[in-house]
Amino acid sequence: MPDRQPARTLLLATHNAGKLRELRRLIGADWALVAPGEAGLDHLRVVESGATYRENAALKARAFADASGLPALADDSGLEVEALAGAPGIRSARYAGAGATAAANRARLLAALEGVPAEGRKARYRALVAVALPRQSRVWCTEGIVTGSIASDERGSEGFGYDPLFELPDGRRMAELTMDEKNRISHRARALQAAAPLLARVLTEPSR
């Protein structure tokens, strides 16, 4: 058999430890995956000034690709609750204020939904994945969605963010899934599955 081609390096443009773990599992072995700290970019923080997930993901991918000289993959994701007109949406990570913990965000969400019956608590997770190459203006984006509802209490110890509150159609919380189970159905998994042909195409391009 011919020797396996060496992996290309892909920078994962996030400082979120939970996202890094998921992305490493989801993307697989075709890339040598690098976290910002491993590329000397612990200091790089991108202001998420976009009005949409797509804009925020693109901002992060572009900034990290240009700063590192490597292909970069970023995502922006959020929780959209029907009864809250789509909130917290792009503010999901800071729903309870700048620098809020995940627990504080969940507490605010429960407070906002107090008194809302189960049938009114429909929700969905949405993720946009963006891929950028250094010194190229174009950014490629793909989307993934998973639907469910917001429970009135927390359950499960896996995952991160709103996972203990996000109830799937089968009654389980996202935080009760194993990593392998989550990686088959999550919004981020679906966005990355849609991005797979793009990543394969980038793999064939000459290294810069």
Side-chain angles (χ1 to χ4, degrees), residues 17-187:
K19 284 188 181 181
L20 283 170
R21 286 193 298 271
E22 283 193 12
L23 290 170
R24 288 184 187 278
R25 292 284 294 270
L26 285 165
I27 294 171
D30 288 331
W31 292 86
L33 301 175
V34 176
E38 297 168 324
L41 295 175
D42 261 340
H43 64 284
L44 181 58
R45 296 292 189 278
V46 179
V47 177
E48 297 182 22
S49 57
T52 65
Y53 303 114
R54 180 181 294 269
E55 291 175 5
N56 283 336
L59 283 170
K60 290 183 283 188
R62 171 86 282 124
F64 277 87
D66 288 345
S68 66
L70 297 169
L73 181 147
D75 91 298
D76 195 44
S77 56
L79 176 70
E80 300 173 347
V81 182
E82 187 175 291
L84 302 178
I90 63 170
R91 294 187 55 81
S92 293
R94 52 192 184 278
Y95 189 43
T101 64
N105 287 331
R106 294 194 300 270
R108 181 179 177 188
L109 179 62
L110 287 175
L113 290 173
E114 187 174 0
V116 177
E119 60 271 19
R121 301 167 78 99
K122 293 178 182 177
R124 65 182 177 181
Y125 269 135
R126 184 195 296 269
L128 262 292
V129 164
V131 177
L133 299 177
R135 298 177 298 279
Q136 291 194 20
S137 59
R138 183 177 178 186
V139 178
W140 295 265
C141 295
T142 57
E143 182 180 70
I145 291 172
V146 61
T147 59
S149 61
I150 302 303
S152 58
D153 62 353
E154 297 188 11
R155 202 166 70 215
S157 59
E158 301 299 321
F160 59 97
Y162 296 92
D163 286 356
L165 292 174
F166 192 86
E167 187 166 288
L168 296 161
D170 66 6
R172 290 185 299 169
R173 308 293 170 80
M174 190 72 85
E176 293 181 298
L177 304 183
T178 66
M179 182 68 78
D180 286 342
E181 288 173 321
K182 184 177 182 181
N183 286 348
R184 286 195 293 270
I185 68 160
S186 77
H187 52 309

